[in-house]
Amino acid sequence: MNRKILVLPAVAGLLVPALAACGGSGGGSDGGDAIVTGTTDRFIATKDAPAPVDPAYSYDVGSWNVLRQTVQTLMIQPRGEGEPVPEAAESCRFTDTGNERYVCKLREGLKFSDGGTVTAEDVKYSVDRARAIEADSGVFALLSTIDTVETSGDREVIFHLKTSDATFPYKLSTPVAGIVNPDDYAKDKLRDGFEISGSGPYTLKPEVKDGEMVSAAFTKNPHYKGSLKVNNEKVDLRSFKDADTMGGALEKGDIDVMTRSMSPEQIQKLSESADTDIELVEIQGLEIRYLGFDTDAATVRDKAVRQAMAQLIDRSALVSKVYGTQAEPLYSMVPAAITGHSNSFFNKYGDPDVTKAKNLLTDANVATPVKLTLNYTTDHYGAATQQEFELLRKQLNDSGLFDVTIKGTAWDAFVPAERKGSYEVYGMGWFPDFPDADNFIAPFLDEDNFLNSPYANNRIIDSLIPQSRREADRLAASDPLTEIQDIVAEDVPLLPLWQGKQYVAARDDITGTAYVVNSSSTLQLWELNRGVGG
């Protein structure tokens, strides 16, 4: 039997009730075989990135999904999405009208997976550690509004902020704010390798070959105490080299669940199949894809070049030919369905137009054709990425205004090269840390942005981002958010392309698949269990 389930996100601006799970670690199935889940995410420790799952370093969707199973945060995004709710905390709240003092009280009886007690000092240690290390991944910037952290007794943590930040509860739900055991994490040094010491719903036993974690065995943590109901005893997460290999493993029954990233062809095949014991789950997603620019590079330093690319790229054709109904064109870094979204790029450039693009270059005295290399990663965003960049190349070259080549690089080499400024133009994806417009803006445009981009707009950094964060009512933040998006459309340090849906495929005896991935691509393995296949 095939069932296609559509789950709509309760992101900011959509009034859908939050179905937060409650209770402790009880409620799981009674033993049995592990539920085996596949992913094409790769987990590699390299010389440039030796600590891929240290919360003070980790900043990609794959490694965050490992941490979310093992490291507890004070707050968590609830099962039905919506605003964050307490997790390791019993309660959290702003205690002033200016959203600058945030107090959390820990649950009683919290323990690390080794049985040691979790205290407020451990929370302070973990947060201060991530801020102090300032890893080159840029993840520490999520905590940039913190001024100081103090404790009161064993269970109360007080965050004093530098400025108002209505999004701060969301930031405390991200792995960078995860609570780690100080016995295993040095104060001023990252923890290399794949060992994790936390208080989350699972413990981790990694299988590592040649510096790569090829599988992760998650076993229910008997000491876990939090808001989550853990519905299984064990989940194995296995990393596959590509979507086809992962899909073959699901068909043979070697795995029970298939998560990101599935190919467009796989998704279409599963959605059209009427006689199968595999079901497909579709979740409205907040994943976006975009082009980034090294605005100091000679070829794209003149914004007219970047504007011409924005004027030429046909997003609708790109989505239609590569992703079909699995994605939709995007005209801002802030996706549709997020409060504060504005179609700024469409408002400025309208439909693709070669004449307008030519005039932009002519007026700026830019000689044509402009020679560029578009860089993309071959093994992180799915099998269709190469096809996407081939089409981008064709669109730009067919105009006669550009002479574009494309180059693919494996993710473990792509990321450090991008951060070192080796690419003039590069393709990236973004899976939000939390579903708020701030998280589609600040990580790219604020100080210490994670791309290490040379682009800096003082009005955005000094005025508009702080202004938007002062508004607890996110609708009231629309004016500064819209202005930021309009500036991006004018300067084009980033060029949004599309936003996509999320998909999970599972054998029909697996339950909980409707919630195992949310719109931000957060993996929630505790939702899975075994039922009866049909």
Side-chain angles (χ1 to χ4, degrees):
M1 169 175 64
N2 173 268
R3 300 189 301 275
K4 186 177 180 185
I5 304 172
L6 176 62
V7 182
L8 295 175
V11 296
L14 297 183
L15 301 179
V16 181
L19 305 175
C22 60
S25 60
S29 57
D30 296 327
D33 295 334
I35 297 173
V36 185
T37 301
T39 180
T40 58
D41 285 324
R42 297 181 66 196
F43 312 97
I44 303 173
T46 66
K47 181 181 179 181
D48 289 321
V53 292
D54 187 323
Y57 176 84
S58 169
Y59 205 13
D60 68 80
V61 65
S63 59
W64 266 26
N65 279 335
V66 171
L67 287 170
R68 290 185 190 277
Q69 319 309 312
T70 51
V71 176
Q72 205 171 12
T73 49
L74 291 170
M75 303 291 283
I76 196 168
Q77 293 173 46
R79 186 188 191 202
E81 306 200 48
E83 296 184 359
V85 296
E87 160 55 351
E90 178 181 286
S91 63
C92 287
R93 64 188 182 94
F94 283 108
T95 60
D96 66 329
T97 57
N99 293 337
E100 294 181 355
R101 187 177 187 272
Y102 196 72
V103 179
C104 291
K105 184 176 182 180
L106 296 181
R107 293 179 186 271
E108 251 187 298
L110 287 179
K111 294 182 182 296
F112 289 112
S113 57
D114 66 0
T117 301
V118 177
T119 68
E121 282 294 333
D122 298 322
V123 177
K124 172 178 166 58
Y125 180 93
S126 302
V127 172
D128 283 346
R129 174 179 178 270
R131 295 168 61 220
I133 289 176
E134 292 193 352
D136 62 8
S137 66
V139 69
F140 69 92
L142 281 171
L143 305 175
S144 64
T145 55
I146 296 176
D147 185 17
T148 58
V149 185
E150 65 173 313
T151 63
S152 177
D154 288 339
R155 294 177 55 203
E156 189 169 85
V157 187
I158 302 129
F159 298 93
H160 298 280
L161 306 184
K162 299 173 185 176
T163 184
S164 299
D165 187 0
T167 70
F168 190 65
Y170 282 108
K171 294 170 181 176
L172 290 183
S173 74
T174 64
V176 69
I179 308 165
V180 298
N181 192 332
D183 292 342
D184 299 314
Y185 291 82
K187 184 177 182 179
D188 56 357
K189 182 183 177 183
L190 293 171
R191 184 181 185 181
D192 294 353
F194 297 96
E195 300 295 328
I196 301 173
S197 302
S199 57
Y202 295 99
T203 61
L204 168 67
K205 183 178 180 180
E207 180 185 350
V208 180
K209 295 181 180 179
D210 299 323
E212 180 171 2
M213 184 172 70
V214 294
S215 70
F218 296 104
T219 301
K220 188 165 69 171
N221 177 10
H223 299 293
Y224 170 70
K225 186 173 183 180
S227 64
L228 302 173
K229 180 182 177 182
V230 184
N231 291 312
N232 54 70
E233 294 293 330
K234 186 176 181 181
V235 179
D236 287 345
L237 183 67
R238 296 183 186 172
S239 181
F240 290 86
K241 65 177 182 179
D242 55 48
D244 288 340
T245 306
M246 180 171 62
L250 182 66
E251 290 179 1
K252 290 187 293 184
D254 292 340
I255 63 175
D256 301 296
V257 182
M258 181 164 64
T259 59
R260 66 172 305 272
S261 296
M262 299 162 61
S263 71
E265 293 78 15
Q266 284 176 323
I267 294 166
Q268 183 174 356
K269 179 181 176 181
L270 286 169
S271 67
E272 294 174 351
S273 177
D275 183 20
T276 178
D277 57 358
I278 296 171
E279 70 172 19
L280 180 69
V281 180
E282 179 185 289
I283 304 108
Q284 171 119 17
L286 297 176
E287 168 192 4
I288 68 168
R289 297 287 173 82
Y290 62 95
L291 295 179
F293 297 90
D294 177 357
T295 53
D296 279 350
T299 50
V300 294
R301 184 182 297 131
D302 194 321
K303 73 176 182 181
V305 175
R306 309 192 299 270
Q307 289 176 329
M309 293 175 68
Q311 185 66 71
L312 288 171
I313 290 175
D314 188 337
R315 295 168 176 81
S316 295
L318 182 71
V319 167
S320 174
K321 293 180 180 179
V322 181
Y323 297 101
T325 60
Q326 299 157 30
E328 57 188 67
L330 182 63
Y331 297 93
S332 164
M333 292 297 289
V334 180
I338 291 287
T339 299
H341 164 79
S342 173
N343 285 319
S344 296
F345 273 80
F346 188 83
N347 295 341
K348 180 169 180 60
Y349 300 100
D351 293 324
D353 191 309
V354 173
T355 300
K356 289 181 179 179
K358 183 177 181 179
N359 290 339
L360 285 166
L361 296 172
T362 300
D363 292 346
N365 296 316
V366 175
T368 58
V370 179
K371 290 189 176 183
L372 292 176
T373 299
L374 305 188
N375 293 272
Y376 66 95
T377 179
T378 56
D379 59 348
H380 191 68
Y381 296 121
T385 306
Q386 180 178 343
Q387 183 184 353
E388 177 181 346
F389 273 75
E390 288 171 349
L391 188 54
L392 285 171
R393 174 179 60 189
K394 185 177 188 305
Q395 289 185 357
L396 292 169
N397 287 350
D398 283 355
S399 71
L401 302 174
F402 286 87
D403 180 5
V404 169
T405 58
I406 60 174
K407 182 180 179 182
T409 305
W411 180 248
D412 60 319
F414 180 87
V415 172
E418 182 279 315
R419 288 177 182 151
K420 291 174 183 175
S422 301
Y423 301 144
E424 53 192 356
V425 189
Y426 51 90
M428 291 281 277
W430 181 250
F431 301 86
D433 308 324
F434 51 87
D436 185 275
D438 180 85
N439 194 242
F440 293 89
I441 288 172
F444 308 95
L445 301 170
D446 206 353
E447 291 180 317
D448 299 318
N449 68 83
F450 90 103
L451 293 173
N452 200 27
S453 169
Y455 175 81
N457 183 288
N458 291 334
R459 176 156 176 76
I460 291 176
I461 295 170
D462 298 335
S463 178
L464 296 175
I465 289 178
Q467 182 183 344
S468 71
R469 287 173 174 169
R470 284 194 289 270
E471 301 293 348
D473 178 357
R474 302 311 284 157
L475 279 171
S478 293
D479 286 348
L481 292 172
T482 297
E483 185 175 346
I484 291 170
Q485 291 166 84
D486 289 346
I487 291 171
V488 172
E490 170 65 28
D491 292 351
V492 200
L494 307 156
L495 204 169
L497 298 173
W498 55 266
Q499 73 178 85
K501 301 172 184 176
Q502 304 297 315
Y503 293 89
V504 174
R507 305 199 71 81
D508 66 356
D509 65 331
I510 300 298
T511 63
T513 53
Y515 291 106
V516 71
V517 175
N518 68 14
S519 63
S520 300
S521 292
T522 297
L523 196 58
Q524 302 171 141
L525 295 177
W526 52 84
E527 295 286 351
L528 297 176
N529 206 343
R530 291 192 186 275
V532 178

